[in-house]
Amino acid sequence: MNLFETMVKHGMPLVPKPIVGRVARRYVAGESLDDAARALRAMNDEGAMGTVDVLGEEVKEESKADRAVAEYLGLLERIEAEKLDANVSIKPTMLGLKIDQGLCENNVKTIVARAAELGNFVRIDMEDHTCTDATLDLYHAVHEAYPSSVGVVLQSYLHRTTADVSDLLSLGPNIRLCKGIYREPLAISWHDFDTVRANFVYNLEKLLEGGAYVGIATHDRHLVWAGMSVVDRLGIGRDAYEFQMLLGVDPDLRKVILSAGHRLRIYVPFGSDWYPYSIRRLRENPSVAKHVMRAMFTRGS
Ligand code: FDA
């Protein structure tokens, strides 16, 4: 990280909202459902599928979790009405996980039940390590009721992930595998870049060999290559996995994946809570901070 990036990273809360907004435009579809539908249509036209995330932070009041459920139900209807090739991604803490696990389970089941009726699918995102056990319990419970309509996420930076893969394989699970985005303690997570990569590849092979459907979620070109090699070597059918990327990151890599004939899904966040989401993304990925600096000194980028 250079000095410029360090400055921007640590000064992030001081960066004016309109500046963050100009950078966020690349990573967030917009504030409204119309914006999300437009971004999904563009991705579908490119040949990619979508997964839509309604932006929001952890809720502490039940009424806010209820509102999130309603937003997701509206989103599922919109996807159906417009015949968009997209599913949805949800965050348990936005649906009440930290208020009460039972409440969260009911909320997730409400969303997954509607998705199942519509022939659609819900991905449960993985948050920080304080949520891992509860999120996997949630996945087990919802999977039992709607086995083909729900999936979960595993993070290759956690020590526990290989054991979690072993536990989940008997379900015939649908897993998004990613590196993991939170700052986790050294006692429970790999911090070395190469080890996180190696653990990604190890668990990817284990999942595919075990019959799981895998969303290979990465922009790391080495891992994209590794994913392509593993599916080729194991003779995995194109309908048993997909690559996944975030909106706005490395459009050239999107073309590489699609033109090689692999399926690709783009994670499309939208909603009025774009500001905290963008600040988090910028903090977590300091190399992106240079865009903030550029936006500060240029007009209309
Ligand atoms: P790496 O961080 O090495 O990045 C590779 C390249 O991509 C670098 O050049 C980097 O600059 C660029 N890049 C990566 N992320 C970028 C960004 N946001 N903006 C601009 N450039 C970027 N994590 C989690 O803990 N729980 C989850 O549920 C999910 N869900 C999820 C869904 C999808 C579809 C993706 C792609 C990722 C996630 N993640 C996630 C995030 C994931 O864990 C990880 O933090 C990021 O993908 C970055 O890791 P890479 O594998 O891309 O490698």
Side-chain angles (χ1 to χ4, degrees):
M1 198 189 311
N2 65 31
L3 183 62
F4 225 34
E5 290 170 2
T6 311
M7 267 169 53
V8 175
K9 186 185 168 205
H10 294 295
M12 199 55 71
L14 308 174
V15 177
K17 199 169 176 180
I19 300 288
V20 177
R22 279 162 65 181
V23 180
R25 245 183 269 151
R26 199 174 133 196
Y27 303 102
V28 176
E31 293 209 4
S32 69
L33 202 46
D34 285 345
D35 294 327
R38 207 172 302 118
L40 286 173
R41 177 71 59 209
M43 289 303 121
N44 286 176
D45 288 348
E46 250 186 54
M49 307 171 283
T51 186
V52 194
D53 168 53
V54 180
L55 291 171
E57 302 290 293
E58 175 181 330
V59 299
K60 295 189 171 62
E61 295 137 50
E62 211 172 315
S63 60
K64 289 197 176 154
D66 291 345
R67 206 179 313 146
V69 172
E71 283 190 88
Y72 271 103
L73 294 177
L75 176 58
L76 285 167
E77 299 307 326
R78 183 67 178 260
I79 290 170
E80 176 67 13
E82 293 207 21
K83 300 278 169 260
L84 293 162
D85 190 349
N87 59 38
V88 302
S89 288
I90 58 173
K91 290 204 168 41
T93 61
M94 192 180 159
L95 295 164
L97 187 75
K98 294 281 171 102
I99 304 173
D100 178 71
Q101 174 117 14
L103 166 82
C104 180
E105 187 178 318
N106 285 339
N107 285 338
V108 173
K109 279 187 172 158
T110 303
I111 297 169
V112 178
R114 186 61 189 138
E117 280 167 7
L118 294 169
N120 208 328
F121 179 85
V122 177
R123 172 81 54 195
I124 306 174
D125 284 352
M126 188 58 80
E127 300 174 83
D128 69 42
H129 75 277
T130 64
C131 302
T132 314
D133 280 329
T135 302
L136 291 176
D137 289 349
L138 187 63
Y139 175 61
H140 274 276
V142 182
H143 181 273
E144 203 176 328
Y146 307 98
S148 56
S149 307
V150 66
V152 74
V153 178
L154 294 177
Q155 299 152 321
S156 74
Y157 65 15
L158 290 185
H159 297 166
R160 60 178 286 168
T161 292
T162 304
D164 287 335
V165 168
S166 301
D167 287 347
L168 287 168
L169 277 180
S170 64
L171 298 180
N174 187 319
I175 305 289
R176 172 194 297 153
L177 182 64
C178 64
K179 287 182 180 175
I181 206 162
Y182 302 90
R183 280 165 207 276
E184 299 291 15
L186 206 50
I188 60 161
S189 63
W190 307 111
H191 284 203
D192 172 65
F193 188 77
D194 290 335
T195 312
V196 175
R197 267 184 173 171
N199 203 37
F200 191 106
V201 177
Y202 180 79
N203 283 295
L204 175 60
E205 289 198 34
K206 193 170 156 107
L207 283 164
L208 289 169
E209 280 175 331
Y213 183 96
V214 188
I216 309 169
T218 182
H219 319 96
D220 180 339
R221 284 168 178 249
H222 172 80
L223 288 183
V224 170
W225 166 82
M228 290 176 177
S229 311
V230 169
V231 295
D232 181 59
R233 183 164 46 77
L234 298 178
I236 305 291
R238 297 263 152 134
D239 56 353
Y241 69 94
E242 64 192 43
F243 285 91
Q244 298 187 351
M245 294 174 63
L246 301 175
L247 184 70
V249 180
D250 203 345
D252 288 339
L253 183 59
R254 290 209 294 262
K255 293 195 191 97
V256 170
I257 294 170
L258 287 168
S259 62
H262 302 278
R263 301 202 308 159
L264 173 65
R265 188 177 300 278
I266 305 298
Y267 189 99
V268 176
F270 87 101
S272 51
D273 268 358
W274 61 269
Y275 183 71
Y277 173 84
S278 305
I279 291 286
R280 195 149 55 88
R281 278 267 114 75
L282 291 164
R283 274 228 180 96
E284 277 151 3
N285 197 332
S287 67
V288 182
K290 65 177 179 285
H291 299 297
V292 179
M293 204 48 99
R294 195 178 298 137
M296 276 176 154
F297 295 115
T298 57
R299 282 205 256 141
S301 64

